[in-house]
Amino acid sequence: MKRNERGASLIIALVFVSTFSLVIVGSLNYASNSYNQATVTRSVRDASAAADAATQTLINAMRYDINWGQDGSSCAGATYSVGDGRTATVSCSPESGSGGAISGNSSATTGMQPYPLLTDAAVAAPASSSEAGVTVTGSGTMDVSGANTYHSTSFSVASGSAYTDDSGSVYTDGTCANVTPVGVCSAYAGGTTYGTKVTSFKQTAPIASVPATQTAPSCPGTNKYLALSPGTYTDAAALSALTNGSCPGLVLHLLPGTFYFGFTQTGSAAKWVISDPTVDVIGGTPKGWTVGPWTRRPTLPTVGACRTAFDPTPSSGVLLVFGAQSQLSVTASHNVEFCAIPTGAAEANAIFGLDSAITGGSAQSGCVVATSGGCPFINVSGTGVLNVEGVVQAASANITTDFSAGASPSFNWGVFARSMTVNTGGQFVEPVSADPTDPISPSGYQDRYVDLNASIDGTQYLQARVQFVDANGDNPGYRVKILEWSASE
């Protein structure tokens, strides 16, 4: 080959190699860029999917809790771990008016007892003309509101203490010492005794026979919900095991219906003890909360946790009937509240102590009816909280309340008992009323409207606006409406 031809071949080879190298480098850059772009796209897609899933998880957690997403309350969001190590955060902001309470009906009278407090120690069985109908101690004032009160025996009002009725007059067959204001109390002056008048309001047993026997369930674990079915319960210890500190954080829900407590124990052992300040015991249809399912323990209203006859569309409540030596003691609790079954009659009983036997159930007996050295049928002391939204009838038994350590007993629809003992703890107290205007118990709740924002490691990927259809608060979250759902690309 000629020399000039060999030179030309070398140049051609160099050009070919250079061109090929440029093509290879360009291909590698293209492949690298494509791979990087695919990685970014996949990362964004994964983040969007994670934000979507986190938002839906929070919605499902919120839907059944009427308090979660209410305007004016903190709206807890949530943080979740993503599979690739990143963190998904969903924030929650209630809109104005979200979940707002609907005003209750304060003019309702269904289920009201016509008199707030009646005591008939002189005509109870066994009768005790020497037992005071009302005993007030503690250098404070016990006030009753709603209407006139009637008592078959005199008062035992300690010096420095007082008994008043701010809505009516006080009538008694005995003396009126320390009843204020002066002139409000009228002692027996002949004619029909007030004891006879009291007896005329005594009701017969609200049930003719006891319901089917039930076994108290075991503790389901800390901070749990547990339903108690209507029926007959005979073991005070089994019920106390749920509420005496052995099952902290429990919400014990007495489902609507009739309960008969005929404990086989006697004396102090025949006592259902509620002594755990973390426990709620609610009887009736939930109001302002729901039974779940839950992903966290709901916040129950301290008062107004069950529906009453004051609600526009009242739901069913509970009737608690006590026989034999069965007793109720509330010495610490978050809230114990019983709402009566709305009957439309003059009196809707929430708690009834039998003064005569029924089929399968004996009348109150033993220490419960003893007028000397006996035991209280209902005792609220310590830091116990008891709210009874219905009439309490216990013609043969004593009710004792002690406000000195912070207890908060409220018999909001009237009491008819053999006697009532109140330690005011130096305060002005009002344990009994028959004029419950129900100002703190709303009749229902508006739907909740909540704005949600989901971020992955601080970068926002989703915005949503959600409506929780709460059916006036009766069935929170039974339906969820997605009003807006905007995902970032």
Side-chain angles (χ1 to χ4, degrees), residues 10 31 38 44 63 79 90 131 139 144 153 183 192 233 278 351 382 394 447:
L10 179 60
V44 171
R63 65 182 301 181
T79 300
V90 187
E131 182 185 19
S139 300
V144 176
T153 54
T192 302
Y233 291 85
T278 70
I351 298 177
D447 287 348

Side-chain angles (χ1 to χ4, degrees), residues 22-257:
L22 291 174
V23 171
I24 293 297
V25 171
S27 299
L28 291 175
N29 287 335
Y30 176 78
S32 177
N33 290 336
S34 297
Y35 175 80
N36 290 335
Q37 186 175 5
T39 300
V40 172
T41 300
R42 183 169 61 253
S43 177
V44 171
R45 183 184 64 228
D46 290 347
S48 296
D52 187 287
T55 304
Q56 293 193 48
T57 300
L58 180 62
I59 289 172
N60 286 329
M62 293 179 62
R63 65 182 301 181
Y64 299 109
D65 189 338
I66 191 69
N67 300 292
W68 202 348
Q70 286 184 326
D71 184 20
S73 301
S74 59
C75 189
T79 300
Y80 307 95
S81 296
V82 183
D84 59 6
R86 290 181 290 179
T87 299
T89 303
V90 187
S91 63
C92 167
S93 300
E95 296 184 2
S96 177
S98 172
I102 302 172
S103 298
N105 182 1
S106 62
S107 63
T109 58
T110 302
M112 293 286 293
Q113 177 169 271
Y115 304 99
L117 178 60
L118 303 100
T119 61
D120 69 341
V123 294
S128 175
S129 58
S130 62
E131 182 185 19
V134 178
T135 299
V136 183
T137 62
S139 300
T141 298
M142 173 190 173
D143 180 65
V144 176
S145 67
N148 302 330
T149 66
Y150 292 87
H151 312 283
S152 66
T153 54
S154 61
F155 299 87
S156 176
V157 183
S159 177
S161 302
Y163 174 90
T164 68
D165 188 321
D166 68 5
S167 301
S169 296
V170 179
Y171 296 93
T172 178
D173 290 333
T175 60
C176 293
N178 294 330
V179 176
T180 58
V182 176
V184 73
C185 181
S186 299
Y188 172 60
T192 302
T193 65
Y194 297 123
T196 302
K197 189 175 183 64
V198 168
T199 304
S200 69
F201 292 106
K202 183 183 294 185
Q203 295 185 56
T204 58
I207 57 175
S209 60
V210 303
T213 300
Q214 300 278 2
T215 300
S218 301
C219 176
T222 302
N223 292 322
K224 299 290 185 180
Y225 165 88
L226 179 64
L228 196 67
S229 297
T232 293
Y233 291 85
T234 60
D235 190 350
L239 288 174
S240 297
L242 297 171
T243 56
N244 66 0
S246 301
C247 194
L250 179 69
V251 175
L252 182 61
H253 180 202
L254 277 64
L255 299 176

Side-chain angles (χ1 to χ4, degrees), residues 341-414:
I341 302 171
T343 63
E347 296 91 7
N349 292 301
I351 298 177
F352 195 97
L354 291 175
D355 62 335
S356 59
I358 59 175
T359 302
S362 60
Q364 291 187 303
S365 61
C367 69
V368 175
V369 299
T371 58
S372 177
C375 54
F377 161 45
I378 299 174
N379 171 63
V380 186
S381 59
T383 57
V385 178
L386 174 64
N387 295 284
V388 183
E389 306 292 343
V391 179
V392 177
Q393 293 265 340
S396 299
N398 167 266
I399 294 173
T400 296
T401 61
D402 184 350
F403 290 83
S404 63
S408 179
S410 296
F411 303 97
N412 295 321
W413 288 20

Side-chain angles (χ1 to χ4, degrees), residues 462-474:
L462 188 146
Q463 290 180 299
R465 182 170 179 261
V466 180
Q467 176 186 358
F468 295 95
V469 181
D470 293 327
N472 199 38
D474 292 329

Side-chain angles (χ1 to χ4, degrees), residues 271-275 327-332 377-381:
K271 187 184 301 179
W272 179 8
V273 177
I274 304 175
S275 58
Q327 305 154 51
L328 176 65
S329 174
V330 185
T331 59
F377 161 45
I378 299 174
N379 171 63
V380 186
S381 59

